[in-house]
Structures are given as structure tokens and as C-alpha cells.
Amino acid sequence: MAQVDIRCSKCGSKNLAVRTSERMTMHSTSTILFCHNCHACKLHVMTEIVAVEIASYERSDQAMRINKPLDETDPNQLEIPT
């Protein structure tokens, strides 16, 4: 799983821990982070989802007919009947 790259503003460390996290709205969260490296920094972080893109999955009959990945096929190649 991917992570958000947030660093301590005081020492630059990535060694941060979530103290509290509160969902503000359906698309935003308020989080308080503490730095384990310098022990002196308390970060208030606001995160927000600004766009959502959903993949549209389509059935591909061509993928069932060929014996190699679709990325390696040439759509301009003629089919030779066997």
C-alpha cells in the first residue's frame, strides 16, 4: 500500500506517528502527528480528497484469442484464418 510522504518540519524525519485522526467531512480528515525523532514537533495535518477517478472495465474478447499480452499486440496486424 502506498503512503503519504509527510516529514517533520523541524528535523525532516519521516518517523512520524498518528496521535489522533478525525474525519471532518466525507472527503477530509484532520490528523495530529508526533515526531519520534526530535520529540519536539506536533504536526496538525489536513488531508482532502479533491478528485476521484474510477476505471471503466470493458470485456476484451481479443485478449482471449491471442497468446501474448495485449500491450505487445499490433492492432493493425491482419488475422490469418487457420
Side-chain angles (χ1 to χ4, degrees):
M1 182 190 306
Q3 296 180 353
V4 177
D5 186 17
I6 299 175
R7 297 174 187 257
C8 177
S9 299
K10 184 175 183 290
C11 68
S13 173
K14 288 197 273 184
N15 191 8
L16 302 171
V18 174
R19 178 69 176 135
T20 61
S21 179
E22 179 183 3
R23 188 173 181 179
M24 305 301 284
T25 66
M26 185 173 172
H27 299 294
S28 65
T29 302
S30 174
T31 307
I32 297 176
L33 303 173
F34 284 96
C35 180
H36 281 294
N37 192 39
C38 66
H39 300 288
C41 198
K42 178 178 168 184
L43 303 165
H44 292 263
V45 179
M46 290 290 297
T47 54
E48 181 181 11
I49 299 171
V50 294
V52 177
E53 296 178 5
I54 300 172
S56 60
Y57 296 97
E58 298 175 9
R59 184 180 181 100
S60 175
D61 293 329
Q62 181 186 5
M64 300 303 294
R65 292 192 310 256
I66 59 177
N67 291 327
K68 58 184 174 180
L70 282 174
D71 290 345
E72 295 177 9
T73 60
D74 182 8
N76 298 324
Q77 183 177 359
L78 295 174
E79 288 272 335
I80 299 174
T82 55

